[in-house]
Amino acid sequence: MGRGVPELVLELNGRTWTLDPSRSYTLGRDPQGDLTLDDARVSWRHATISWNGRSWSVEDHGSTNGTYVQGQRVQQAEIGPGSAVNLGNATDGPRLDFTAGAGAGGYGGQPAAAQPQQGAPVRSAPSPQQAAPQHQPQAAPQQPQQYQPPQQAAPQQYQPQQAAPQPQQYQQAAAQQQAPYAPVPPQQQIPHQQGPAGHPPGAGGPGGAAGAPVYGDRSPTTFYQLDLGRVMRIGRALENELVVSDLQVSRLHAEFRATPDGRFEIRDLGSHNGTYVNGLPLSKSGSALIGPHDIVGVGHSTFRLVGDRLEEFVDTGEVSFSARHLTVTVDGGKDILKDVSFGVPEKSLIAVIGPSGSGKSTLLKALTGYRPANQGDVLYDNRNLYKQFAELRQRIGLVPQDDILHKELTVSKALRYAAKLRFPADTTDTERTARIHEVLAELKLDIHKDKKVTSLSGGQRKRVSVALELLTKPSLIFLDEPTSGLDPGMDRDVMQLLRGLADDGRTVLVVTHSVAELAICDKLLVMAPGGSVAYFGPPEEALNFFGYTSWADVFSAFENYRDYDWAGRWRGSQHYQMYAADIDAVAAQPVHMPPPQRIRPPKPQGWTAQLFTLMRRYLSVIASDKGFLALMVILPAVLGVVSVVIPAEFGLAAPDVPGKRFNAKAGTIMLIIAVGMCFAAAANSVRELIKERVIYERERATGLSRSAYLTSKVIVLGIITAFQGVILCGIGFSTRQLPEEGLFMPPAAEICLSIIVLGFTSMMFGLMISALVKTAEKTMPLLVMFAIVQVVFTGVLFQVYGSPGLEQFAWLMPSRWAMAAAGTTLDLAHLMPPWDPENPADLDPLWEHSATQWGIDIGVLLLMGVVLFAVVSRLLRRHEPEVMRK
């Protein structure tokens, strides 16, 4: 250092740097900064440390959560030996400690980057941008409103009226295509790309296709010196030797330890989101030996053993993503996706367009692992997504076309429940709340946080769906038709939001029908009918490539010339050589999946924790729906009143039973109560699964337990059903004369219990219907049909027993067994007139007046409920990512 300049040493998480006064140091989450802090409370570009000619100082760059010196929030403050700076929180935010150096020395020539102290874990060598002799402040990302569609005139040789493709013309064009413009080198079109054809280093060569996890020429974020004599723990808590500031990492997550033979092993410490070796999860508290070719995954960090040191790579969004020869085949051998290949540059916005039937949705499912392709590879930073789905699914966000949130909840409450389900159980409320506030501020939703989702505009609801996915800091975000149904203004707002997400360090791929805002995208993928690629490259060159002046003409050509080889034209073009030719260096590979139990991701929380979170969320949804609450009370009350207005009808018995009086309406009264319970309970549940199907699909991919989800529905709906049963029976029995004694409890309680169990089984039938149908509109006809069938087979309207086939079919009806249970209590076989007056001893065996028969009737109802639970669980399996199915 120069004479008179005090040497300052910065300490952070056990690492130390000697600061050079000839340059400034940027702090934040931006991986291009000098000191990267992967903490939710730290802003992207948070602060700068520099020598101002008189002293060292720290300057805040308008961060969301602030910079604190000695516990006080500051905009700019002097620092020196003994100073402590906290970022994001005054007490427990990432802490920077400053101490005096060993002395002062001259500095001349090229300014040096911060130098680590001898023997301490050090940060990797900075990138060329970071080690520039003069520190240049990075330009702020372009504001979305600055993006304007290019005003390019169509080349004269392309005339719309002559643009309809003729096979002879296109065969010549494919062989002798001349670009009507001077091609711009790829590196000038998109500032983010780092290699040919839009691929980052290492993403386009054959090395990645073999499935080996490689990182090209990317330098590690940090490396640590391993000590054979000690254990190195990894986790979110500050007492770990390797602190990973990631909310998907448990406080005590895993540990590296040396074995007696000099090798190293990784041991999971019961983490919630799992520890991965080469993309496959370790068992809870399991361990595995690691070598130089193994990759250990913990949250967004991966570790690689190189000699006697451990290199850490933090996934902050700068990752490559490519599809290699994806082919999807359905039953019958028909290809609905044909040899699709393209590479996505880092931190870019990619749009996928195409006519109906071009395979856009199939492509999205293949890219996200929901429905893996039959052939080809999807590579995330040169790691096979299908084979390492359990780990990599945490780094991919997916926003389906339908909203993935409960519209009855407020924005903040919906995000809070999502955070509880996605983050480990040891995450504190403070940590979750801080992350939610950061996401809301980033998407400018903080002013709407206390509004119900249903009260927001379409564009704002889509922002909330994006916010939900951003909670876990995905590096890659997919969106399916996010502008569907929005007006042009909201369409532009959503696309500009996606542009901002890409500029902020993420890769965004959007499937859309809208072509109005394609100019703000970095690359455009056009799908042709049949599921093949018709174009991939800059959006401003796409219309010239097709020879048309509007996308309407292009799509009309696709429709009118469906048999034309659009993919062949693309592969023979100059654009293909510029933007996708290097993909052909890798041959398509068959997908050999690991065993399902190795792919299935662990649950972020334990089963019980998920169950209680789901129950609380479901109760919040119900409580916010005043209409449902009113209907829940009114429906059983009305049905109870209907049963009350039916008068009892007593008559004398047959001559062989002197003095015995029958109640001819007893069966009818019980039928109204039983069938009313069937209808009310099934109506509660018949729409519950279908209306949340999109939410379930997404949450299941993030580790939601299927059984916990279904059990939460059953418990909450079961409580509601029991409440309705009490109302129904209370009103229905209020004016009736019941037997003086029951079989083993008061008759009213005994019959009410039978009705409640009937309601539970009917509720399970409703859930089965909800899981079976494809649209919510189909539930009501099936509900009505279910109720009518219950009326017919109660055994009250006509004699069911003793009729071969009919009697056995009636055993499948819950109303048959519920009426039988009520009939045993009321001795309905003797209270109603016999079906055959000449043979009054011929009685329904299920109505026998005994405690044993009552127990059998109730037991069959409960058994039905258990069987239906298993059936519904099996049906839910159809709505899960295929790679996760058991």
Side-chain angles (χ1 to χ4, degrees):
M1 284 196 175
R3 187 181 304 274
V5 178
E7 186 176 275
L8 192 65
V9 176
L10 183 153
E11 298 181 3
L12 172 64
N13 290 340
R15 286 165 278 170
T16 57
W17 291 264
T18 300
L19 302 183
D20 186 342
S22 65
R23 55 165 298 183
S24 59
Y25 297 88
T26 58
L27 315 175
R29 296 196 336 269
D30 184 0
Q32 297 296 327
D34 298 296
L35 276 78
T36 302
L37 297 95
D38 187 16
D39 189 288
R41 297 163 295 184
V42 177
S43 296
W44 189 254
R45 298 177 181 89
H46 195 104
T48 299
I49 296 175
S50 61
W51 172 259
N52 59 19
R54 301 185 312 274
S55 63
W56 288 96
S57 66
V58 59
E59 180 180 1
D60 187 272
H61 289 312
S63 63
T64 301
N65 296 316
T67 301
Y68 301 83
V69 176
Q70 308 301 129
Q72 299 296 320
R73 183 163 183 168
V74 299
Q75 179 63 33
Q76 186 173 11
E78 294 185 357
I79 56 175
S83 297
V85 176
N86 290 83
L87 305 181
N89 188 283
T91 55
D92 61 351
R95 178 186 174 99
L96 314 176
D97 291 302
F98 297 90
T99 58
Y107 64 99
Q110 295 295 332
Q115 298 298 323
Q117 297 296 323
Q118 184 69 26
V122 295
R123 192 176 189 270
S124 61
S127 62
Q129 297 95 322
Q130 297 168 344
Q134 289 82 24
H135 178 75
Q136 299 293 334
Q138 297 185 0
Q142 290 183 343
Q143 297 300 318
Q145 58 267 27
Q146 293 176 345
Y147 287 89
Q148 300 292 338
Q151 304 296 326
Q152 290 183 338
Q156 294 182 356
Q157 55 264 51
Y158 290 116
Q159 298 297 330
Q161 63 270 22
Q162 299 176 357
Q166 301 296 328
Q168 298 86 349
Q169 297 173 357
Y170 276 123
Q171 288 171 1
Q172 296 173 3
Q176 302 177 351
Q177 182 177 10
Q178 298 295 326
Y181 50 83
V184 182
Q187 61 270 22
Q188 296 180 20
Q189 296 169 3
I190 299 178
H192 304 310
Q193 63 190 36
Q194 302 175 13
H199 300 296
V214 296
Y215 291 88
D217 58 359
R218 184 173 302 144
S219 301
T221 307
T222 314
F223 58 85
Y224 306 87
Q225 196 72 30
L226 289 175
D227 188 346
L228 293 177
R230 68 174 182 145
V231 174
M232 186 173 289
R233 293 178 303 170
I234 307 173
R236 207 172 69 248
L238 296 178
E239 59 263 27
N240 293 283
E241 285 75 20
L242 277 69
V243 178
V244 180
S245 299
D246 183 350
L247 290 184
Q248 290 190 304
V249 176
S250 298
R251 298 186 66 82
L252 300 175
H253 196 103
E255 64 183 17
F256 285 99
R257 63 170 63 239
T259 61
D261 58 1
R263 294 187 293 175
F264 290 93
E265 70 173 1
I266 179 69
R267 179 181 299 277
D268 185 84
L269 298 179
S271 64
H272 289 282
N273 277 327
T275 304
Y276 302 84
V277 177
N278 299 326
L280 301 180
L282 294 176
S283 60
K284 291 287 185 180
S285 303
S287 63
L289 290 173
I290 58 171
H293 300 293
D294 294 320
I295 296 296
V296 176
V298 175
H300 284 77
S301 296
T302 52
F303 299 88
R304 181 173 58 183
L305 190 63
V306 178
D308 59 350
R309 74 176 187 178
L310 192 66
E311 295 184 345
E312 178 185 7
F313 297 81
V314 179
D315 185 348
T316 56
E318 294 188 344
V319 296
S320 62
F321 185 81
S322 61
R324 308 287 180 93
H325 302 282
L326 298 182
T327 299
V328 175
T329 306
V330 295
D331 297 337
K334 179 182 178 181
D335 292 337
I336 57 176
L337 204 65
K338 298 179 182 178
D339 197 20
V340 174
S341 299
F342 63 94
V344 177
E346 299 175 358
K347 298 194 297 184
S348 59
L349 175 59
I350 312 298
V352 180
I353 65 171
S356 298
S358 59
K360 299 188 299 296
S361 297
T362 302
L363 175 62
L364 192 64
K365 292 179 180 179
L367 294 176
T368 57
Y370 271 54
R371 200 290 188 194
N374 298 93
Q375 279 190 316
D377 301 298
V378 175
L379 301 183
Y380 179 101
D381 218 21
N382 286 74
R383 301 173 65 186
N384 192 300
L385 175 65
Y386 298 156
K387 296 181 181 180
Q388 303 186 26
F389 181 79
E391 177 186 356
L392 297 181
R393 54 100 192 180
Q394 302 179 50
R395 310 184 191 182
I396 295 177
L398 173 63
V399 181
Q401 182 173 348
D402 297 325
D403 294 328
I404 50 175
L405 35 84
H406 294 85
K407 298 179 181 179
E408 301 84 356
L409 300 178
T410 63
V411 172
S412 59
K413 187 173 290 186
L415 294 180
R416 187 166 69 248
Y417 283 120
K420 285 184 178 180
L421 288 173
R422 298 193 180 195
F423 292 143
D426 62 6
T427 307
T428 64
D429 287 338
T430 302
E431 290 174 312
R432 287 194 296 265
T433 302
R435 179 57 187 158
I436 291 171
H437 288 171
E438 182 179 10
V439 171
L440 289 175
E442 181 179 0
L443 299 183
K444 298 179 176 60
L445 287 169
D446 40 2
I447 61 175
H448 303 294
K449 64 180 181 179
D450 295 323
K451 296 180 182 178
K452 285 189 176 182
V453 175
T454 187
S455 68
L456 302 178
S457 66
Q460 290 168 344
R461 286 201 302 271
K462 192 58 63 177
R463 282 177 179 266
V464 178
S465 294
V466 173
L468 191 150
E469 290 300 310
L470 291 184
L471 288 174
T472 54
K473 298 184 179 181
S475 301
L476 184 64
I477 303 176
F478 293 93
L479 299 100
D480 187 11
E481 301 287 357
T483 61
S484 178
L486 302 183
D487 61 48
M490 290 185 178
D491 180 357
R492 180 181 59 193
D493 290 344
V494 171
M495 292 299 293
Q496 289 176 345
L497 165 68
L498 303 184
R499 177 71 262 173
L501 292 178
D503 291 338
D504 202 26
R506 306 173 183 92
T507 298
V508 182
L509 188 146
V510 53
V511 174
T512 180
H513 278 299
S514 174
V515 297
E517 303 296 329
L518 296 180
I520 71 174
C521 300
D522 295 312
K523 288 291 180 67
L524 175 65
L525 175 67
V526 182
M527 300 294 294
S532 58
V533 177
Y535 173 82
F536 178 71
E540 62 270 17
E541 301 173 10
L543 287 176
N544 284 341
F545 172 81
F546 287 107
Y548 293 92
T549 58
S550 73
W551 284 107
D553 293 330
V554 175
F555 280 27
S556 295
F558 284 150
E559 180 64 29
N560 296 332
Y561 300 91
R562 298 184 69 89
D563 295 332
Y564 180 71
D565 186 10
W566 296 99
R569 178 176 183 268
W570 157 243
R571 292 183 181 277
S573 69
Q574 194 173 23
H575 282 75
Y576 178 84
Q577 299 299 321
M578 293 174 60
Y579 302 115
D582 65 331
I583 294 292
D584 278 341
V586 185
Q589 297 182 347
V591 178
H592 300 292
M593 303 300 291
Q597 62 271 18
R598 299 300 306 279
I599 300 177
R600 195 176 309 118
K603 303 174 181 59
Q605 297 183 11
W607 189 90
T608 303
Q610 283 197 8
L611 174 64
F612 282 109
T613 299
L614 290 166
M615 288 175 59
R616 287 195 297 269
R617 183 178 70 178
Y618 191 21
L619 289 171
S620 296
V621 171
I622 292 174
S624 64
D625 190 346
K626 301 300 188 292
F628 179 81
L629 289 175
L631 186 63
M632 182 180 69
V633 176
I634 293 173
L635 181 59
V638 170
L639 294 172
V641 171
V642 170
S643 71
V644 168
V645 301
I646 301 175
E649 185 177 307
F650 292 99
L652 293 178
D656 57 342
V657 189
K660 178 67 175 179
R661 301 182 68 194
F662 295 117
N663 183 358
K665 297 296 184 181
T668 303
I669 295 169
M670 281 306 306
L671 182 146
I672 295 298
I673 293 176
V675 175
M677 188 74 259
C678 281
F679 182 80
N684 289 339
S685 60
V686 75
R687 297 173 67 91
E688 285 306 309
L689 299 183
I690 182 64
K691 76 178 183 181
E692 292 186 359
R693 181 160 297 171
V694 176
I695 299 174
Y696 172 75
E697 289 177 356
R698 182 63 194 131
E699 290 183 342
R700 180 70 175 131
T702 61
L704 179 70
S705 167
R706 182 198 313 156
S707 59
Y709 174 77
L710 182 55
T711 302
S712 71
K713 295 290 185 186
V714 170
I715 292 176
V716 175
L717 290 173
I719 294 173
I720 294 173
T721 300
F723 176 70
Q724 291 178 317
V726 171
I727 294 176
L728 180 59
C729 293
I731 297 176
F733 297 155
S734 61
T735 62
R736 303 297 180 186
Q737 182 179 355
L738 299 176
E740 295 181 0
E741 295 182 358
L743 297 173
F744 56 89
M745 67 175 70
E750 209 167 270
I751 299 174
C752 186
L753 182 58
S754 304
I755 295 302
I756 290 174
V757 175
L758 169 64
F760 171 79
T761 306
S762 301
M763 176 199 73
M764 294 305 303
F765 265 102
L767 287 176
M768 183 182 71
I769 293 173
S770 190
L772 192 62
V773 298
K774 293 184 178 179
T775 60
E777 289 75 16
K778 295 179 180 178
T779 58
M780 296 313 295
L782 291 175
L783 173 63
V784 173
M785 183 180 69
F786 170 74
I788 292 175
V789 171
Q790 300 311 305
V791 173
V792 174
F793 291 99
T794 55
V796 171
L797 296 180
F798 60 92
Q799 181 178 335
V800 173
Y801 69 93
S803 301
L806 184 64
E807 179 180 14
Q808 285 72 33
F809 182 76
W811 290 346
L812 301 176
M813 303 296 121
S815 63
R816 169 69 170 144
W817 296 98
M819 280 297 301
T824 59
T825 299
L826 296 171
D827 196 11
L828 203 57
H830 294 96
L831 184 60
M832 287 177 57
W835 295 110
D836 185 1
E838 297 182 358
N839 187 16
D842 185 15
L843 306 176
D844 192 330
L846 299 187
W847 292 2
E848 180 185 344
H849 186 58
S850 69
T852 300
Q853 185 59 49
W854 187 92
I856 293 174
D857 296 336
I858 295 298
V860 172
L861 277 174
L862 293 174
L863 179 61
M864 280 186 178
V866 173
V867 172
L868 287 170
F869 184 95
V871 171
V872 174
S873 179
R874 186 71 179 178
L875 291 173
L876 281 176
R877 177 180 174 272
R878 301 179 307 161
H879 309 297
E880 301 172 1
E882 187 172 316
V883 73
M884 290 177 58
R885 296 178 188 173
K886 297 181 181 179

